[in-house]
Amino acid sequence: MDTFVIEGGRRLSGSLRVNGSKNAALPLLVCSLLTDQPVTLKDVPDLADIRNMVRLLGELGCERITTPEPTTLTLKVHDATQSHARYDIVRTMRASISALGPLLARRGYARVSMPGGCSIGERPVDLHLRGLRALGADITLNGGDIVARAPRGRLQGAKIFLGGQFGSTVLGTANVMSAATLATGTTIIESAACEPEIVDVANLLNRMGARITGAGSPRITIQGVDRLNGAEHVVMPDRIEAGTLMCAAAITNGDLVLENCPLDALMAAREVLSTAGVHVSEMGSGADPMRTTCRVTCERVLRPAEFTTQPHPGFPTDLQAQFMALLTLADGNSIITERVFPERFLHVAELSRMGAHLLRQGATVVVQGVRKLVGAPVMASDLRASAGLVLAGMAAQGTTIVHRVYHLDRGYEKLEDRLCAVGASIRRVDDKELGGSPTEG
Ligand code: EPZ
């Protein structure tokens, strides 16, 4: 297994381009199941999760057509008889659940393995099933698989409340919105997710001939149509990668220019950065607020901050670990509360190994700022926690070894190469070179 060896204490300086968004690209890819024509996505990041999704779509009869540009993916259904998303793919990538709605809407039948939990929480899909049943689907569980049928082969529009105890569901909204595009009549989704990735999916679907209004607001209205066509779409920039790179600049007291940065989707994060003494200044004309060029610098001494993670437009849970790493070095006590995935704190113990002072009380962590972090061997546990550990390693004194960076490869493309290009010292080595990965306690 791959491991990062990080030499800390190097300031980042230079410019980086923000890649296309993983969390937009995944639900965008499954939209290709809704038509028999080619769907082309541009600026698709080269990530493990994307490769897994393309593999899953291939098993569902939707093949990738080769294109000259590696970041451009064209997909076209050639066999609509395979509609089983098998456990061994779904268990590696829970976003596979987003194929359920499109398969059901287009083919009248879908069998998708029930995704399991993961290290950040249980990850139920009850809201997905509530929404699809409201559209008339007959859904049963059979041997760990969700088996869904549309009586008489077509879904019916409905008024659906999709809110849950933690607020809205992002992939649940994508699932139901996609399915409703081919239902008869009108669908209203109340308490829909407002994430920018949902807006990106709605934009592609409307390009394909769907009739969606209200995406980005808590109420989305979909007028069903009889068929959808192929289309082209440029994937929105990755706001979580952008926020991670902002933290990388700040934690190394660096000076970084970010291109293709979706600043308009990062207002909550930018507010916390400003409180902490991190300056994000927009450069250039600002023609497209979702594709800006901005410069990140910070005060010599970081200030403490407080934030609670919430559905968009609140502070994104996917930046919680990265901001915790940053605030371990603030001059004072910060308070972080996790409202989306209350167990999403596996990075706390690892950051503590590096000298961070973290006091967890349930879904809240008090971060007592320290003057320095000290490099140590640490274990990555999930995608964003591993990003937080890399950030801490870049700021720590000495060497940090981050084990199991395959977690990182799910959501960040060649992160070590890109950070080294602006001054970091990160080597990717095989565990064997270091005497093997530590086993579970
Ligand atoms: C998406 O996951 C993202 N993944 C996650 O990013 C992100 O953390 C999450 O949204 C929240 O923003 C992708 O887009 C591929 P949810 P999703 O359904 O849609 C509960 C990353 O690091 N819930 O919005 O699966 C759930 O337990 C990943 O890139 C139900 O109760 O998340 C959670 O508490 C991690 N029932 C809350 O809602 C359901 O049916 C939000 O989950 C569905 C969700």
Side-chain angles (χ1 to χ4, degrees):
M1 269 187 277
D2 283 355
T3 295
F4 276 178
V5 178
I6 305 172
E7 299 306 333
R10 300 162 69 112
R11 294 179 69 243
L12 298 191
S13 174
S15 70
L16 287 172
R17 181 184 184 275
V18 177
N19 284 334
S21 163
K22 164 182 88 81
N23 289 353
L26 290 170
L28 287 167
L29 283 166
V30 297
C31 291
S32 55
L33 294 169
L34 288 163
T35 176
D36 55 7
Q37 302 195 0
V39 173
T40 296
L41 297 180
K42 296 184 175 179
D43 206 9
V44 181
D46 180 19
L47 302 168
D49 272 9
I50 298 295
R51 292 190 289 273
N52 272 329
M53 181 60 88
V54 171
R55 187 158 66 95
L56 170 64
L57 290 172
E59 290 201 4
L60 297 173
C62 181
E63 287 302 336
R64 178 180 178 180
I65 301 167
T66 48
T67 53
E69 176 56 49
T71 60
T72 297
L73 263 62
T74 296
L75 293 151
K76 185 176 183 301
V77 170
H78 67 95
D79 171 9
T81 59
Q82 299 303 320
S83 301
H84 181 190
R86 294 180 300 109
Y87 175 66
D88 67 353
I89 291 191
V90 176
R91 70 185 174 84
T92 63
M93 184 189 58
R94 7 180 2 276
S96 310
I97 189 69
S98 46
L100 180 61
L103 280 176
L104 180 60
R106 180 83 175 85
R107 303 181 183 178
Y109 171 79
R111 184 179 184 120
V112 176
S113 175
M114 177 79 113
C118 68
S119 57
I120 65 174
E122 236 182 278
R123 313 299 296 273
V125 292
D126 58 308
L127 300 176
H128 296 242
L129 304 187
R130 178 203 295 175
L132 295 174
R133 283 192 172 110
L135 293 175
D138 170 39
I139 296 179
T140 55
L141 279 187
N142 183 343
D145 286 348
I146 299 165
V147 181
R149 285 185 177 78
R152 297 179 295 286
R154 191 165 183 187
L155 298 171
Q156 287 80 42
K159 262 191 160 184
I160 304 165
F161 176 72
L162 212 50
Q165 59 173 323
F166 296 99
S168 48
T169 163
V170 178
L171 289 183
T173 299
N175 238 335
V176 175
M177 178 175 70
S178 306
T181 58
L182 292 177
T184 57
T186 301
T187 295
I188 290 176
I189 304 175
E190 184 70 316
S191 191
C194 303
E195 271 68 7
E197 293 77 17
I198 293 297
V199 177
D200 219 34
V201 173
N203 288 341
L204 169 60
L205 289 169
N206 282 338
R207 283 207 179 98
M208 293 169 67
R211 296 170 59 194
I212 301 170
T213 53
S217 82
R219 173 172 284 209
I220 300 177
T221 302
I222 305 107
Q223 307 281 354
V225 294
D226 293 335
R227 53 173 296 166
L228 293 178
N229 307 309
E232 279 200 5
H233 181 78
V234 180
V235 178
M236 67 168 275
D238 193 320
R239 61 192 171 103
I240 304 304
E241 178 181 271
T244 304
L245 295 175
M246 289 175 182
C247 289
I251 204 168
T252 61
N253 194 22
D255 183 340
L256 208 54
V257 171
L258 298 181
E259 293 158 4
N260 196 42
C261 180
L263 216 45
D264 202 43
L266 282 163
M267 293 179 71
R270 196 176 176 188
E271 179 62 30
V272 174
L273 287 171
S274 168
T275 304
V278 182
H279 308 299
V280 180
S281 47
E282 198 168 339
M283 302 164 71
S285 65
D288 179 353
M290 285 294 284
R291 286 183 169 80
T292 68
T293 297
C294 63
R295 182 179 176 193
V296 187
T297 56
C298 69
E299 309 286 336
R300 197 179 56 77
V301 178
L302 291 167
R303 297 189 294 267
E306 297 184 18
F307 65 86
T308 296
T309 68
Q310 301 177 62
H312 193 79
F315 188 95
T317 174
D318 292 348
L319 284 176
Q320 182 254 104
Q322 300 92 312
F323 273 63
M324 184 182 291
L326 177 65
L327 293 171
T328 61
L329 292 170
D331 180 20
N333 293 348
S334 300
I335 301 177
I336 296 174
T337 301
E338 174 58 65
R339 284 269 179 267
V340 180
F341 294 111
E343 293 306 314
R344 194 175 198 170
F345 287 130
L346 288 175
H347 44 285
V348 169
E350 301 305 306
L351 290 170
S352 302
R353 286 176 51 76
M354 299 175 70
H357 285 184
L358 305 171
L359 310 170
R360 179 179 174 188
Q361 291 287 330
T364 294
V365 172
V366 175
V367 184
Q368 292 178 326
V370 294
R371 298 185 65 76
K372 67 176 179 164
L373 295 174
V374 179
V378 291
M379 180 86 75
S381 55
D382 66 274
L383 167 55
R384 307 303 177 183
S386 37
L389 297 177
V390 171
L391 296 177
M394 289 198 295
Q397 273 186 356
T399 305
T400 297
I401 312 279
V402 182
H403 292 281
R404 301 190 180 176
V405 292
Y406 62 83
H407 290 291
L408 205 71
D409 295 335
R410 296 192 53 176
Y412 295 94
E413 185 179 339
K414 303 190 185 72
L415 186 64
E416 74 274 23
D417 297 345
R418 296 160 70 207
L419 291 174
C420 288
V422 288
S425 167
I426 305 175
R427 282 186 306 121
R428 181 186 288 258
V429 300
D430 187 298
D431 257 345
K432 297 185 191 68
E433 285 182 49
L434 302 171
S437 170
T439 51
E440 294 287 341

